[in-house]
Amino acid sequence: MNPKRTFPAALLVLSMAAASHATTAADKAAGDKARSKTAAAETRDVWWKHAVIYEIYPRSFQDANGDGIGDLNGITSRIDYLKELGVNAIWLTPIYPSPQVDFGYDISNYVGIDPAYGTMADFDRLVAEAKKRDIRVIMDMVMNHTSDKHPWFIESESSKSNPKRDWYMWKNGKGPGEPPNNWQSAFGHSAWQYSPKTDQWYYHKFYIQQPDLNWRNPKVEQAMWGNVRFWLKKGVAGFRLDAVPTLFEDPSLKDEKILPGTNKYGDPNIDGSLTENLPEVHKVMRDLRDVTNGFPGNRVLIGETYLPNIQELQKWYGANHDELQLPMDMQVGFINKLDVNEFRQRIDEVEHDIGGNQPMLVFDNHDNPRMDMRYGDGKHNVDIQRMLATILFATRSTALMYYGDEIGMKTTPPTRIEDVKDPVGRTGWPNEKGRDGERTPMQWDGSPEAGFTTGDKPWLPVPDTYKTVNVAEEVRDDDSLLNWYKQLIQLRRDNPSLHSGKLTLLNTTDTKVLSWLRQTPGQPAVVVACNFTAEPQKISFDLSHLGITNKQAKTLMKTPGSSDPASLDAINLPPFGVYIGQMQ
Ligand code: NOJ
């Protein structure tokens, strides 16, 4: 596997059942009325601005019925753990009925629960138990494509005259056996699949079993909003929107520009300019925002927005703050090297160049090797992870974290192609071993299968590291990564400057230590310093230009070996050490 893989690489170059939930005029009118009452009143200091959102890959979190696959009842059984960690919301990757080719990102029914994960009653119980603990539930909404087993596609494929034909992207080939153009799937090879039934090709940005919906057809949009309303009515707090930059393709169907070199699947590199981040997507985002605004309770829209730069990211908030509240910033968390200057510049950008909107940082997810593989040096991995957690929780960002980050779970890719579960790994082997390595079962304790399942066949093997890297061990150890996460999250909640203060980068020419100040009027400021090197560093700050003349700081958190108490004239930091102090 390429340890620096950032998914999806290409994007960086830069139901029948559902039909019954389709938007009705009455829905829309009710939405408009509710919207005028709720949206304006609720946007000021909303929950998601300060939230810690915890991504759960349900298949891998906790198995309650012993079949080796994590499930909803498993998540419910661990809800107190999440509460104690300080989590405000959980994002569940897709739990809808699905053939599971892409482990749920291939949806065959948007308004149900896959039996592998439980029932709708299990889901309702999870939402209710979470609510009792002030934890919200965010769903994953996959709008770009469905499963090829979704009734919409089955109808669409059946004949050229089927009313659903135009719900997907059907085109003629260039010639016999030749796809319409050179567009490629993010998962390797041509993005076109031939269907002999009608002698045409359909477009799929992802797997062949994930045909793209045609977002130029208003009926697709209306049907999708029906699905969205179904879950909003059930009380979900919002959606993480899968792959939204790929909703539209250029109607010219021209070839994309070929770039030098080949990708990890051996295909020529192409520029993605006709299939990614087309401007038409913004109207759809505004329409969706209108739908969610129609419901009370500050529902939130989070975007899976791999974008080439901050200017493109800003557009996703909407010119009038009317698109996504939280398009993910992938620029900070996926730098993939510990370069102070680059971190500082990207943090500065996401702080200042997104038009006063709220940043959302993320360092890890189910599509990329975990932090150990992208940032670790093999010797100081835990220290490095403490430092990265500090950037996530002590900047002004809404914090999105991935299950297992808090205990330092390691990326554990398969070693034999026959063990690979993620099809990407089979197409790309051995250059690309797929995403199994970052999806291994949660390591709860030192018992067999790490407490993930009572069965003996977890869907992916539990890595050997579970014997020492597990929740039960780390709860007991005051200096564990898990306790660092808990304390940081608590500090971010309770300290007024860390909770909502503005951020000022400090010592901006330092190439070894990244530091910043958080300040909220009438409250003591907080200084944060992170040593980005494997050697001890000593730093000093002069904050007089910020109106801070007293040099004494009270330690709020520090890694072992950092100064305590600290004077701004000399703060000592051990390798990859962190100091967080409150000015006196
Ligand atoms: C992004 C998701 O995070 C990934 O897991 C999935 O394979 C693709 N979108 C396609 O839905």
Side-chain angles (χ1 to χ4, degrees):
M1 146 161 349
N2 172 4
K4 304 293 185 202
R5 163 166 53 88
T6 298
F7 173 85
L11 303 183
L12 274 176
V13 190
L14 58 176
S15 88
M16 308 268 234
S20 63
H21 300 286
T23 310
T24 62
D27 268 340
K28 184 144 195 353
D32 289 344
K33 203 168 153 208
R35 183 163 66 248
S36 56
K37 276 205 212 133
T38 57
E42 290 182 347
T43 44
R44 253 165 272 125
D45 198 32
V46 288
W47 68 273
W48 44 261
K49 286 196 177 166
H50 309 288
V52 172
I53 303 179
Y54 187 98
E55 179 192 350
I56 294 184
Y57 199 69
R59 236 183 147 72
S60 298
F61 194 61
Q62 177 68 64
D63 171 22
N65 64 3
D67 66 356
I69 296 176
D71 45 39
L72 294 172
N73 288 340
I75 300 171
T76 308
S77 73
R78 295 292 187 179
I79 203 82
D80 285 325
Y81 166 78
L82 297 170
K83 176 73 189 164
E84 213 168 295
L85 183 57
V87 164
N88 307 107
I90 52 177
W91 147 34
L92 306 177
T93 64
I95 51 173
Y96 318 97
S98 159
Q100 305 289 336
V101 172
D102 194 12
F103 299 114
Y105 284 97
D106 47 326
I107 301 175
S108 54
N109 172 6
Y110 284 86
V111 293
I113 301 289
D114 193 290
Y117 300 128
T119 63
M120 195 58 90
D122 297 336
F123 176 80
D124 290 339
R125 196 166 69 87
L126 168 59
V127 173
E129 289 300 318
K131 190 172 178 193
K132 282 187 201 157
R133 291 155 180 89
D134 261 332
I135 297 177
R136 293 168 158 90
V137 176
I138 295 172
M139 299 292 275
D140 208 316
M141 187 46 66
V142 185
M143 295 161 46
N144 180 68
H145 49 267
T146 67
S147 159
D148 61 348
K149 299 292 180 296
H150 193 292
W152 295 344
F153 186 76
I154 294 174
E155 280 193 53
S156 182
E157 192 180 26
S158 64
S159 79
K160 282 187 180 166
S161 58
N162 185 279
K164 294 251 173 3
R165 184 67 172 181
D166 195 32
W167 285 43
Y168 293 84
M169 305 265 302
W170 290 101
K171 305 287 170 202
N172 290 327
K174 261 190 192 158
E178 258 191 276
N181 59 33
N182 74 347
W183 297 354
Q184 284 172 14
S185 159
F187 291 158
H189 313 323
S190 172
W192 296 97
Q193 178 66 20
Y194 180 70
S195 174
K197 275 189 196 140
T198 55
D199 190 26
Q200 280 197 316
W201 300 68
Y202 67 85
Y203 178 72
H204 58 92
K205 181 72 189 177
F206 298 94
Y207 291 126
I208 290 168
Q209 298 87 344
Q210 293 171 303
D212 270 47
L213 285 160
N214 173 14
W215 277 87
R216 296 186 190 276
N217 181 344
K219 290 188 178 136
V220 167
E221 177 167 334
Q222 289 313 308
M224 199 56 80
W225 297 168
N227 299 330
V228 161
R229 286 196 167 89
F230 173 88
W231 293 102
L232 290 169
K233 283 180 194 154
K234 279 198 147 302
V236 306
F239 299 95
R240 174 268 190 187
L241 305 171
D242 184 68
V244 268
T246 65
L247 284 197
F248 284 88
E249 296 75 33
D250 192 289
S252 72
L253 288 193
K254 284 192 198 138
D255 277 356
E256 284 187 327
K257 202 172 145 207
I258 299 185
L259 303 172
T262 52
N263 66 18
K264 56 197 174 185
Y265 306 104
D267 305 318
N269 287 323
I270 54 173
D271 75 352
S273 57
L274 303 177
T275 54
E276 291 163 21
N277 204 21
L278 267 58
E280 291 91 321
V281 72
H282 294 286
K283 157 132 188 0
V284 174
M285 295 299 105
R286 286 192 294 278
D287 291 350
L288 175 55
R289 180 68 177 272
D290 272 353
V291 173
T292 55
N293 277 355
F295 289 77
N298 285 305
R299 315 294 171 106
V300 70
L301 293 173
I302 299 171
E304 190 205 15
T305 36
Y306 288 92
L307 297 165
N309 56 50
I310 200 78
Q311 290 74 25
E312 286 303 318
L313 180 68
Q314 183 180 346
K315 291 185 191 159
W316 284 79
Y317 290 95
N320 299 309
H321 312 285
D322 52 359
E323 296 186 23
L324 311 187
Q325 294 99 329
L326 296 173
M328 291 178 202
D329 171 85
M330 303 295 201
Q331 304 280 316
V332 175
F334 294 93
I335 292 174
N336 295 344
K337 59 178 190 287
L338 292 174
D339 177 326
V340 174
N341 288 329
E342 204 157 336
F343 266 83
R344 191 179 290 124
Q345 187 196 326
R346 301 270 177 96
I347 291 174
D348 190 45
E349 284 176 0
V350 77
E351 267 294 317
H352 299 113
D353 300 344
I354 54 170
N357 291 296
Q358 173 66 14
M360 172 178 247
L361 298 190
V362 48
F363 280 84
D364 244 348
N365 61 30
H366 63 285
D367 291 325
N368 292 285
R370 285 181 180 268
M371 278 183 271
D372 68 306
M373 204 175 231
R374 291 179 295 115
Y375 290 103
D377 66 355
K379 187 171 168 206
H380 302 96
N381 284 14
V382 173
D383 304 296
I384 291 170
Q385 284 167 12
R386 271 197 200 98
M387 196 177 82
L388 297 176
T390 306
I391 297 172
L392 180 64
F393 296 117
T395 58
R396 210 170 52 79
S397 156
T398 296
L400 179 54
M401 61 176 289
Y402 184 46
Y403 85 93
D405 279 353
E406 70 276 27
I407 54 170
M409 271 176 60
K410 295 185 175 38
T411 320
T412 315
T415 52
R416 307 180 319 164
I417 188 170
E418 49 273 41
D419 298 332
V420 173
K421 296 284 192 312
D422 177 18
V424 157
R426 289 196 293 270
T427 318
W429 192 272
N431 293 336
E432 171 55 73
K433 294 185 176 159
R435 299 164 291 176
D436 295 353
E438 53 265 25
R439 298 173 174 179
T440 57
M442 178 69 177
Q443 296 166 199
W444 294 103
D445 57 39
S447 70
E449 310 305 348
F452 163 70
T453 178
T454 51
D456 55 5
K457 271 208 167 6
W459 80 283
L460 278 177
V462 172
D464 280 348
T465 51
Y466 84 92
K467 288 172 197 139
T468 49
V469 179
N470 67 57
V471 172
E473 278 290 318
E474 296 197 26
V475 164
R476 284 194 286 271
D477 173 3
D478 286 347
D479 287 335
S480 68
L481 187 59
L482 177 60
N483 280 319
W484 182 261
Y485 265 74
K486 272 191 198 161
Q487 287 163 35
L488 252 183
I489 293 173
Q490 195 181 334
L491 194 59
R492 163 193 168 93
R493 190 188 61 210
D494 298 342
N495 181 287
S497 288
L498 283 177
H499 179 263
S500 41
K502 70 171 182 173
L503 181 148
T504 310
L505 288 158
L506 301 175
N507 293 16
T508 52
T509 53
D510 192 321
T511 56
K512 299 187 165 141
V513 177
L514 179 71
S515 52
W516 64 92
L517 191 77
R518 301 288 308 277
Q519 274 175 302
T520 211
Q523 298 289 338
V526 172
V527 67
V528 184
C530 299
N531 177 1
F532 266 55
T533 72
E535 290 85 45
Q537 302 294 337
K538 181 184 261 187
I539 47 154
S540 63
F541 295 108
D542 178 356
L543 304 181
S544 50
H545 64 292
L546 297 167
I548 298 173
T549 46
N550 187 341
K551 297 236 162 180
Q552 285 315 113
K554 178 180 126 197
T555 303
L556 297 175
M557 280 180 73
K558 68 181 195 76
T559 48
S562 303
S563 306
D564 178 30
S567 153
L568 292 190
D569 283 331
I571 297 182
N572 293 306
L573 295 167
F576 302 106
V578 174
Y579 179 81
I580 308 179
Q582 177 163 294
M583 302 315 303
Q584 295 300 288

